[in-house]
Amino acid sequence: MDDVSRFPAATLAEETLLGLLLPFWQLVIGGFVVFVVVVSVGRLARRGPSRMTTALLVTALAIAGFTVVGVLLEG
């Protein structure tokens, strides 16, 4: 017999614990992403305006591409 069916309260407690930890880990990952973006923008800004323009165009194209793919896969 499966342990999950014998102890439903233990399973519920584990799911509740994961539910509480999930937002914390999302905040940690989000913090690292923000840190990396800030550092990379700083390095890019020091390299000069021509690199900054190219980076902005590439970023805009990537955002547009992800949006198109998301809309196509949604339907």
Side-chain angles (χ1 to χ4, degrees):
M1 181 161 227
D2 194 15
D3 287 339
V4 174
S5 62
R6 288 181 15 205
F7 302 110
T11 304
L12 182 61
E14 289 174 12
E15 291 175 5
T16 304
L17 181 62
L18 283 176
L20 290 172
L21 290 177
L22 186 61
F24 172 74
W25 286 112
Q26 288 175 343
L27 284 173
V28 170
I29 292 169
F32 279 124
V33 169
V34 168
F35 173 75
V36 169
V37 167
V38 167
V39 169
S40 64
V41 166
R43 286 187 66 197
L44 191 60
R46 285 192 303 262
R47 287 184 152 190
S50 65
R51 298 253 180 162
M52 194 69 163
T53 303
T54 303
L56 287 173
L57 288 174
V58 168
T59 303
L61 287 173
I63 290 170
F66 283 130
T67 303
V68 168
V69 169
V71 168
L72 290 175
L73 291 177
E74 183 180 313

